[in-house]
């Protein structure tokens, strides 16, 4: 798994809730009684927290006991909406510059994708790690992916682009090199350039950056199942086991799909 190192800043927000303590509706009590009541409430709160923690731990133990893949994948928190509510959505996040992604695509994911069930929707997405003041340096290659989709040549260029980067060692992460590469597959310079600089492609890059963050991605390749589960080979102990977990999670999510109405005779 190809990892990315960055600090993910954030601010925790704590909301204090309480009543209206104006003089008109607050009856003061003696300091001694007040201290005892505070201690009593604190003890009650501690007991409630301990009980809740124990219940959550018990439920987690039961869930883990029933899950043969417990600890081999991660949960996406919060869950993310999918674009295909009538299908199980599988999103693969990758980079063309990642050697692990090339191996995963060639030896595992391509074949699996060709044999996937009809009620499974596969979405490829280049991971885009934009940070304030530090845009992702791989954006030209991420654009190449969306350009290929837009111009209908994805199946022609997807694996050859991996080959060009990793086997031929070509420097493909710039507009000029990518334009020449696309020309080999029948895409005119005008079509490539116009698409490369289009609003639609920029919008897709922005969306990919948002989803990379929302999925909690720290490296590639990663597979997201139905916006809920995050899989990688490190956690799963290898790609073969990862694909087994993928199949089982898909089957689990398939049971939750809306039932299609049967045609009446």
């Amino acid at each position: 798994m190809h990892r990315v190192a960055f600090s993910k800043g954030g601010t925790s927000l704590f909301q204090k809730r309480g009543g209206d303590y104006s003089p008109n509706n607050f009856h003061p009590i003696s300091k001694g009684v007040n201290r005892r009541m505070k201690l009593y409430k604190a003890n009650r709160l501690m007991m409630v927290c301990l009980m809740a923690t124990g219940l959550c731990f018990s439920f987690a133990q039961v869930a883990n006991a029933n899950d043969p893949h417990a600890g081999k994948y991660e949960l996406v928190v919060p869950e993310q909406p999918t674009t295909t509510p009538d299908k199980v959505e599988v999103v693969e996040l990758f980079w063309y510059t990642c050697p692990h992604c090339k191996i995963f695509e060639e030896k595992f994911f391509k074949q699996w994708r060709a044999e996937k069930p009809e009620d499974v929707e596969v979405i490829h997405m280049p991971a885009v790690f934009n940070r304030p003041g530090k845009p992702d340096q791989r954006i030209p290659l991420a654009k190449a992916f969306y350009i290929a989709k837009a111009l209908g040549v994805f199946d022609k260029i997807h694996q050859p682009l991996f080959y060009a980067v990793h086997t031929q060692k070509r420097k493909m992460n710039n507009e000029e090199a990518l334009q020449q590469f696309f020309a080999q597959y029948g895409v005119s310079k005008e079509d490539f350039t116009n698409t490369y600089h289009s609003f639609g492609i920029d919008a897709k890059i922005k969306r990919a950056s948002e989803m990379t963050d929302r999925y909690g991605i720290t490296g590639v390749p990663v597979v997201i199942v139905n916006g809920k589960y995050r899989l990688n080979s490190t956690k799963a102990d290898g790609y073969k086991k990862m694909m087994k977990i993928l199949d089982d999670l898909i089957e689990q999510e398939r049971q939750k799909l809306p039932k299609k109405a049967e045609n009446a005779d």
Side-chain angles (χ1 to χ4, degrees):
M1 181 178 178
H2 200 125
R3 294 188 178 277
V4 173
F6 58 83
S7 60
K8 191 171 183 180
T11 303
S12 298
L13 301 178
F14 296 88
Q15 182 180 15
K16 295 182 179 179
R17 296 181 179 178
D20 182 1
Y21 290 105
S22 67
N24 292 332
N25 65 3
F26 180 71
H27 189 98
I29 58 177
S30 69
K31 292 183 179 179
V33 174
N34 193 24
R35 281 196 298 268
R36 288 195 297 272
M37 288 191 67
K38 285 183 177 179
L39 182 60
Y40 171 70
K41 289 180 179 179
N43 288 336
R44 283 187 60 188
L45 179 60
M46 184 180 296
M47 289 300 297
V48 169
C49 291
L50 288 172
M51 291 175 64
T53 302
L55 285 172
C56 290
F57 183 70
S58 297
F59 287 139
Q61 283 184 315
V62 173
N64 287 338
N66 294 330
D67 185 356
H69 305 304
K72 298 301 182 182
Y73 62 90
E74 300 167 318
L75 299 180
V76 177
V77 180
E79 293 180 8
Q80 296 301 311
T82 66
T83 58
T84 54
D86 58 333
K87 294 184 178 183
V88 178
E89 183 182 270
V90 173
V91 180
E92 184 221 4
L93 291 104
F94 73 100
W95 298 328
Y96 281 116
T97 56
C98 166
H100 308 289
C101 298
K102 179 179 183 291
I103 293 170
F104 180 61
E105 170 66 19
E106 291 177 351
K107 297 185 179 298
F108 298 94
F109 204 61
K110 180 183 179 182
Q111 184 65 31
W112 179 90
R113 193 168 63 244
E115 299 172 352
K116 71 175 181 62
E118 292 184 1
D119 59 356
V120 174
E121 182 75 10
V122 174
I123 298 174
H124 296 277
M125 181 180 294
V128 178
F129 292 93
N130 281 330
R131 291 293 176 265
K134 293 183 179 180
D136 195 323
Q137 298 302 306
R138 292 168 292 264
I139 284 180
L141 279 166
K143 280 192 170 188
F145 166 81
Y146 287 115
I147 293 169
K149 285 284 190 179
L151 299 181
V153 294
F154 173 75
D155 290 335
K156 291 181 180 180
I157 71 98
H158 187 53
Q159 284 197 286
L161 189 48
F162 275 119
Y163 182 82
V165 171
H166 296 283
T167 304
Q168 297 179 325
K169 307 297 182 184
R170 294 167 61 182
K171 297 185 182 300
M172 302 299 299
N173 196 36
N174 63 81
E175 181 181 352
E176 182 180 358
L178 288 168
Q179 184 272 312
Q180 293 173 2
F181 177 81
F182 272 72
Q184 299 173 17
Y185 298 91
V187 177
S188 70
K189 182 176 181 179
E190 181 181 8
D191 285 345
F192 177 86
T193 302
N194 289 341
T195 309
Y196 187 94
H197 295 284
S198 68
F199 172 80
I201 296 300
D202 288 342
K204 289 183 182 297
I205 293 295
K206 181 179 179 181
R207 174 66 174 171
S209 176
E210 291 173 353
M211 294 311 298
T212 298
D213 187 56
R214 288 165 64 175
Y215 285 141
I217 304 302
T218 59
V220 288
V222 169
V223 173
I224 305 293
V225 181
N226 236 24
K228 300 178 182 179
Y229 311 108
R230 184 172 53 243
L231 286 72
N232 65 67
S233 62
T234 302
K235 197 79 174 175
D237 296 328
Y239 290 127
K240 288 184 178 180
K241 292 180 180 179
M242 177 178 166
M243 299 309 293
K244 169 60 177 172
I245 296 170
L246 173 60
D247 286 337
D248 289 350
L249 289 176
I250 287 173
E251 183 58 33
Q252 177 180 305
E253 290 300 300
R254 179 182 286 118
Q255 303 305 317
K256 304 174 186 177
L257 292 176
K259 302 297 182 182
K260 293 183 179 179
E262 296 183 1
N263 295 326
D265 292 333

